Amino acid sequence: MDINTIELLNQQLAVKDNQIKEKDEQLKSMQKLLDQSQQLQLMTEKKLEELKEISIAKNDLSSDIGNTTLLRKKYWWKFW
């Protein structure tokens, strides 16, 4: 091998090293974005579950109020 071939191979190796370094940075960035996305998804699912629970509680309360009102109307004469 002559010296020019060795220099060319060293240059190509340096280029490849830089490409690998750039890809590593891209992977780190993508992993960070993926983590953020997963955290947002989890937060969204928790909020949705909370809203469902609130909605169910409101429906139960409305039902209880409706039943109490109905009982009062039905049996008003028993209290007088």
Side-chain angles (χ1 to χ4, degrees), residues 4 8 14 17 20 47 50:
N4 289 336
L8 178 63
D17 286 344
I20 290 172
K47 279 289 186 191
E50 289 174 9

Side-chain angles (χ1 to χ4, degrees), residues 4-56:
N4 289 336
T5 304
I6 293 173
E7 286 180 22
L8 178 63
L9 290 174
N10 281 333
Q11 288 174 355
Q12 289 176 347
L13 185 59
V15 169
K16 297 299 179 193
D17 286 344
N18 284 335
Q19 289 175 340
I20 290 172
K21 190 183 261 187
E22 288 176 10
K23 291 297 178 190
D24 284 346
E25 292 300 318
Q26 289 175 349
L27 285 173
K28 286 179 187 177
S29 177
M30 294 300 289
Q31 184 62 46
K32 183 179 178 182
L33 291 172
L34 178 62
D35 289 345
Q36 289 175 348
S37 175
Q38 289 172 339
Q39 288 174 358
L40 287 172
Q41 181 68 26
L42 181 62
M43 289 171 49
T44 301
E45 289 173 6
K46 284 182 179 179
K47 279 289 186 191
L48 182 60
E49 189 62 33
E50 289 174 9
L51 290 173
K52 284 181 182 178
E53 290 174 7
I54 290 170
S55 178
I56 289 170

Side-chain angles (χ1 to χ4, degrees), residues 64-75:
D64 289 347
I65 290 171
N67 289 339
T68 302
T69 303
L70 182 62
L71 286 174
R72 284 185 186 161
K73 287 180 181 178
K74 190 173 182 181
Y75 298 110

